[in-house]
Amino acid sequence: MKAPSASPSAPVTSPPRSRLRSLALPALLFVALAILPLAALAASAGYVLDLFTRVMIFSVAALSVDLLIGYAALVTFGQAAFVGIGAYAVGILSSHGITDALVALPVAMTAAGLFALLTGIVCLRTKGVYFIMITLAFGQMAFFTASSLAPYGGDDGLTLADRNTLAGLALFGRPLVFYYVVLAVLIASYALCRSLVASRFGRVLRGTKENALRMTTLGFRVYRFQLVAYVIAGMLSGLAGFLLANATEFVSPAYMSWQRSGELIIMVLLGGIGTLHGAIVGAAAFLLLEEWLAGFTEHWKMIFGPLLVLVVVFVRGGLIGIAAALGRAVARRFGRG
Amino acid sequence: MSTTLLIVQILNGLQLGVLLFLIAAGLTLVFGVMDFINLAHGVQYMLGAYLAVAFYGLTGSFFAALVLALAAALVFGLLLEVLVFRHLYGRDHLDHVIATFGIILFLNSAVKLVWGAAPLSLPVPEALSGSVALAPGLLYPVWRLVIIGSGLAVALLLYVLVSRTRIGMLVRAGATNAEMVGALGVDIRRLFSLVFGFGAMLAGFAGIMIAPILSVEPGMGDTILILAFVVIVIGGIGSIRGAFVAALLIGLVDTLGRSFSVDILRLFMASSTARTVGPALASMLIYLLMAVVLYVRPTGLFPAKGR
């Protein structure tokens, strides 16, 4: 295997200045998320804290989707299955009296990773539309399997007795502590994805996104790189599932439904694909929009559906793209190229 | 496990297979000709069922409802094509997925708004209700036989249409190279609309035919859509013959798996374990089948030529 010398299509390293700028937005996001509880507590709105905990949990799952779709052109339509597997790991362990995160977290991530490995071996042999549909089908397989798990609640799901403990300490039970734990996980996941994407591994992935045949000809075993990416994304989603089970203290097959997988893709698309922080922006936009629209009418999906169609037809690059375009327009207006 | 039960379940499997074929045929045609993934195909099936219930309420006759609902399904399919899908041809598959997902959200919710969330039902037409004795002691509902028969008839019709008529020739040519067909002076947009409308009508037809035996409810199209995907992936996307073979295969495997998995597993393990493992295994069966097929042949059993 030999690394390509300076490929013209993908900039290998960015100049420091633009690199600094590209980190400014994510940093701003994380700072905002970090000071949000203070504002929420001042307004004594506990539900805001819960809402944003949810936003951050789905952000972790959306990050994994962006890693696959945005950087490896693997359009996965079954990512919710991994979230569900992570959640079920917590639920099943807890129903057997094992409630410590030190056990539940590794089990959740390993189970999700293993499922990703086994299904990835088959899925990645296919391309394009076949890949979309086969990931969708495996997602449904996980969904129906969970629904038929009679000892663990079947269709109705499973209620946790309590949140996980961390080394015996009931830390997750306190909303504020749990919020910062989730924030820390989100930042760590983001940092992991960012460094993955910038690494040689990530450059190979982006190369396959541009042109898989070219990368194969250059001597890369594309399949292996994609499989590793698929497993990493699966484990990240498993991690999100672990957090989700703890946040809701409930586990259900609905976490794995294909609509959930679709929503994860929408989050990424809404925020801006292939940017990583777009996944976070998108998850926030999606969940807040859902919350807001659902406040008007129970038929909020009648508004949301057409909105989605319009976004696809007319908007390129998601919210991040719009913001960047606006920024450029303003810069031009004031004559700073 | 008696012979009678086995025959009944095989017939049930055929009926599911035929239903899946009606849906998968439209899906695979639309994909084959316009390279378009239509997730909203499932809601067109749901809409067919709802329209049949609505028109039955107005006219009181199943056959009038059938004709009216078919026409409405066709019109609705064409409307969707003009309003949304037409703007997305040639775009990334991801865009298709998201836009049609938006349509699903809209229609599932709209149906709830118009007809309510509670399941509706449609009576079996008087003349075709009841059961018929296929053999001594083997009763089978006539309506299910009608579904099997009409599905096979549609399959035959499609075969003749695609392989023996001028339109069919254009459809096959379009599936191989749509741009070239356009360059040869064929109005490709009209061909696309036609194929799309026809596919929507087939899905609507499936919905109408199944309405008397299933409850008509929001979201009923979503489950069947995934099964239809499994069918066209196994059959080879774009191939009608593949869709037919795979639909029957999936219908039979799924139905027989669900009815006999516990009994078969009981031969190998304790009966309480079999009762737990059986249903889980049965629901995974078709996906495992798909995994095996795709592992051996990544483009399905009958890959359409030219792609």
Side-chain angles (χ1 to χ4, degrees), chain B residues 63-154:
Chain B
F63 296 98
L66 173 72
V67 173
L68 287 172
L70 272 183
L74 177 67
V75 170
F76 189 78
L78 291 175
L79 197 69
L80 269 185
E81 204 263 350
V82 171
L83 281 181
V84 183
F85 301 145
R86 183 167 287 182
H87 308 284
L88 296 170
Y89 298 146
R91 297 270 286 264
D92 199 51
H93 286 149
L94 187 60
D95 289 354
H96 302 167
V97 167
I98 299 299
T100 52
F101 191 80
I103 294 173
I104 294 182
L105 292 184
F106 175 76
L107 281 178
N108 272 339
S109 201
V111 155
K112 235 181 261 179
L113 184 70
V114 176
W115 283 288
L120 305 178
S121 63
L122 183 67
V124 178
E126 195 84 16
L128 299 169
S129 59
S131 299
V132 62
L134 295 179
L138 175 59
L139 282 175
Y140 198 73
V142 179
W143 186 249
R144 285 181 185 262
L145 291 176
V146 171
I147 294 181
I148 296 176
S150 57
L152 292 178
V154 168

Side-chain angles (χ1 to χ4, degrees), chain A residues 15-153:
Chain A
R17 206 185 127 79
S18 81
R19 187 154 185 179
L20 206 65
R21 200 188 282 167
S22 76
L23 280 177
L25 187 56
L28 207 65
L29 265 175
F30 293 134
V31 170
L33 283 170
I35 56 174
L36 179 109
L38 304 177
L41 287 182
S44 67
Y47 109 101
V48 173
L49 211 57
D50 284 349
L51 180 62
F52 275 88
T53 305
R54 252 173 86 76
V55 165
M56 293 192 296
I57 292 172
F58 278 99
S59 295
V60 174
L63 271 177
S64 75
V65 172
D66 196 22
L67 194 63
L68 291 180
I69 301 185
Y71 292 92
L74 297 171
V75 180
T76 162
F77 209 137
Q79 206 64 19
F82 302 107
V83 177
I85 288 172
Y88 263 93
V90 174
I92 290 174
L93 284 175
S94 154
S95 78
H96 290 290
I98 302 167
T99 55
D100 202 279
L102 290 181
V103 182
L105 180 60
V107 170
M109 291 180 72
T110 313
L114 211 60
F115 186 67
L117 181 67
L118 290 177
T119 55
I121 287 172
V122 181
C123 293
L124 289 166
R125 285 175 61 87
T126 65
K127 287 185 183 56
V129 197
Y130 282 92
F131 184 80
I132 300 181
M133 292 187 185
I134 194 172
T135 48
L136 180 67
F138 276 127
Q140 280 305 98
M141 182 178 98
F143 172 80
F144 285 121
T145 310
S147 307
S148 60
L149 282 179
Y152 303 107

Side-chain angles (χ1 to χ4, degrees), chain B residues 8-39:
Chain B
V8 166
Q9 292 300 355
I10 286 177
L11 283 172
N12 283 347
L14 270 181
Q15 182 247 303
L16 176 62
V18 157
L19 191 79
L20 283 176
F21 171 70
L22 287 177
I23 297 161
L27 209 54
T28 206
L29 264 181
V30 166
F31 186 80
V33 179
M34 341 178 179
D35 197 21
F36 186 84
I37 308 179
N38 182 14
L39 294 187

